[in-house]
Amino acid sequence: MARRNTIQRSLVLEAVNKLHCHATADEVYEEIIKEHPTISKATVYRNLNLLSEMGEIRRLEIPGSADRFDHITRNHCHVKCKVCGRVFDVDMDFVTGLENGIKDTHGFDFTGYDIIFHGVCPECKKWQDSVQE
């Protein structure tokens, strides 16, 4: 069933594309209310979910933190800064076929995977270096 495009959905997609930062739903909401203060948080959340289901944006589930929404929909890897919690793209070819190496599937039918590296971003590293001096 085709879904009709709504102004609210367009606003949410525009905000995700504008932010370019693997934004949380709250960050997307904060961006939208700057110019459209009457939009509800529930509307933003609902449209983020719908846009990710439609493949217009990518939902990135980060264990231990809020889901992020990415304007890049192709498979790619990420890194999460263990200091500030921000998420960045990793510039590398996406490794395909990892599920073929699983020895015991425990009955799962695998549908995909996300690779998330952990590290310290340049900004936090600079801050840590300045504190240590």
Side-chain angles (χ1 to χ4, degrees):
M1 174 175 92
R3 297 195 187 270
R4 65 184 180 91
N5 198 12
T6 65
I7 293 169
Q8 293 88 347
R9 191 169 323 128
S10 295
L11 290 173
V12 171
L13 181 59
E14 182 182 307
V16 171
N17 286 326
K18 180 180 175 185
L19 288 169
H20 276 248
C21 68
H22 306 92
T24 64
D26 285 341
E27 291 168 336
V28 173
Y29 172 72
E30 291 299 323
E31 180 64 26
I32 294 171
I33 63 168
K34 289 177 186 175
E35 293 185 29
H36 303 277
T38 60
I39 195 167
S40 74
K41 206 177 253 197
T43 297
V44 171
Y45 282 39
R46 184 174 54 255
N47 281 286
L48 283 168
N49 290 329
L50 185 57
L51 286 164
S52 66
E53 289 169 10
M54 294 169 62
E56 295 288 321
I57 59 175
R58 183 182 185 108
R59 174 193 302 273
L60 184 59
E61 296 176 21
I62 309 277
S65 66
D67 289 355
R68 306 296 181 121
F69 295 90
D70 195 347
H71 67 286
I72 300 173
T73 58
R74 66 174 164 70
N75 287 333
H76 61 287
C77 301
H78 296 91
V79 59
K80 179 182 176 190
C81 178
K82 65 182 188 173
V83 177
C84 67
R86 290 185 300 162
V87 176
F88 303 87
D89 292 329
V90 173
D91 186 19
M92 66 178 280
D93 292 334
F94 187 78
V95 180
T96 58
L98 282 180
E99 69 279 7
N100 298 330
I102 299 171
K103 294 181 183 357
D104 184 351
T105 65
H106 301 283
F108 278 87
D109 289 334
F110 290 92
T111 59
Y113 49 87
D114 291 310
I115 298 174
I116 303 171
F117 295 95
H118 304 275
V120 179
C121 74
E123 195 173 307
C124 289
K125 187 171 188 270
K126 188 168 46 174
W127 175 82
Q128 285 179 331
D129 291 346
S130 69
V131 170
Q132 291 175 357
E133 290 176 2

